[in-house]
Amino acid sequence: MSGVIQTPLWLENFPAVDGNPNMLGFTVAIYDIGCLLGALWCMLLGDKQGRQKSCILGGVTVVLGVIIQITAFKNNNNPNGALGQFLVGRVITGMGNGMNMASMPMYQAEMSNSARGFLVLLECGLIATGTMLSYWVNYGVRNYDDAMTWRFPIAFQIVLALFYIIGLFFMPESPRWLCKQDRAHDATKVMAALNGETLDGSRTTTDIRAIVDSIKFEHAVNTNFSFKDLTTGGSSQHFRRIILGVSSQFFQQIGGCNAVIYYFPILFQESLGKSSEASLLLGGVNMIVYAVFSLVSFWTVEALGRRKLFLIGSAGQMLSMIITFGCLIPGTESAGNGAAFGLFLYIAFFGATYLTVPWLYAAEINPLRTRAKGAALANIVNWSINFLVVMVTPIMVAHIKWGTYVFFAAVNAAFIPFIYFFYPETSHRTLEEIDLIFAKGYHENISYVKAAKQLPKLTVRDMEQLATQYGLAEANEFEKDVGSHMEEVDSKKS
């Protein structure tokens, strides 16, 4: 939308937005309300639908919303009718994206092994590639003298959504979700395919056994899920883990990323005095920087770990905002160029860290029992703060000018101690090992950051012994093999 909202023909079609920063902010930000609703849908129904179906539904909803937006035509008898239709379309498109972002990182994490960081971040990092593509599509059609200048960039989303939807029909369901639904036979088939083994392959048997054991740990507390489970402590530490996932998404948005991404051309015009053409071009260049630096996290997420990337990102974004507001204070053209450097530096740090890592952390930090609910709740917070930031940014720039960047510098500084003291490292851990980090911290009364550092790499047998030691399950619970578990499930169904 950053390029679309500057287009004269778009403003002509929606005159209520022209010269009204409040309505402009609302038109851009209402998309995030749709994303919030999509995440809420997944929180309530995601576990029933499954990961694959949730993603397909999200893709179809995006297509529907885009069609509603691009068919909004101005009616002189009802000049605001077109805007109303456009807003409805943005909400529906947002709902689809909210479903996708609440489901896909979790789906990717559950389909991956302990080195899932690269795969999940590859998927999330393509956000930067898509954002870069949208900027350059806007730039490419800027000189057309008809509605092509804004309808085509919006409509192009359908092409990408169709690739996404069609591809998902060839993907299997998550083996962890299948086990949770007592479909261990189906889960074994998927896991064997993922591992490139036969159904009785050693790695497949070990992986399914670890998942089944994890479900037993959870069922040892209570079989039936209740929303109260999200607030429990004890060995599972559900509430603490919900807060960690939610806070990572909160930090991503309140740190100012979408104040830069959504409004980069406008920030260059309003804060730096650049022309519309130059601002749009610089916005496209900035998105190239964004996409390139997003590639960095694909490798560093396992090499450096989640904690270090969060800390580096927070410090780098704080420094970038300090440079930006410091260079805006003199109000000179040469100092303004320094502010432009600050915004470029910000997007580089964000792309390399906060763009991708919060989506991974919120998906993996929660146990299987609460994973769908926890990831969706983190997304709800993400889109809520996204809406707030996008809504108030043009108002802040108009009234407090460089003070906008002072605010974002301060909030990034506040992230650092919280992450340092409370975020345990999860790299090179299976999703089932992460459960035992929190059990260890609780039973040994040590910080969870320390528990993650002390806990060695575990085999399935090690996890079973620790589960028994911490009272998560009885020793005889693990005497049955996976085949026995599947036979037990089948007998219950019959």
Side-chain angles (χ1 to χ4, degrees), residues 81-94:
L83 180 60
Q85 179 180 331
F86 189 82
L87 294 176
V88 169
R90 278 189 64 73
V91 171
I92 293 175
T93 304

Side-chain angles (χ1 to χ4, degrees), residues 105-175:
M106 176 174 56
Y107 180 42
Q108 184 80 66
E110 291 186 351
M111 297 279 278
S112 309
N113 56 26
S114 58
R116 66 194 162 274
F118 174 85
L119 294 174
V120 178
L121 266 63
L122 175 63
E123 177 253 316
C124 293
L126 291 175
I127 296 171
T129 305
T131 305
M132 177 189 70
L133 179 61
S134 70
Y135 264 82
W136 285 107
V137 168
N138 282 326
Y139 188 76
V141 300
R142 71 193 186 284
N143 291 325
Y144 281 83
D145 57 1
D146 56 26
M148 169 76 76
T149 55
W150 68 269
R151 294 192 201 273
F152 177 78
I154 296 173
F156 190 70
Q157 295 173 82
I158 294 176
V159 177
L160 304 177
L162 288 176
F163 275 106
Y164 174 74
I165 295 165
I166 293 169
L168 280 165
F169 277 105
F170 295 94
M171 296 293 292
E173 184 51 87
S174 158

Side-chain angles (χ1 to χ4, degrees), residues 28-72:
V28 174
I30 200 170
Y31 175 83
D32 301 313
I33 296 298
C35 292
L36 186 156
L37 294 174
L40 183 60
W41 176 284
C42 288
M43 183 175 182
L44 298 175
L45 299 173
D47 269 334
K48 293 181 180 179
Q49 293 177 164
R51 316 312 190 212
Q52 182 202 31
K53 288 181 180 177
S54 294
C55 293
I56 291 172
L57 180 60
V60 171
T61 306
V62 167
V63 172
L64 176 62
V66 169
I67 292 172
I68 293 172
Q69 288 180 73
I70 61 176
T71 55

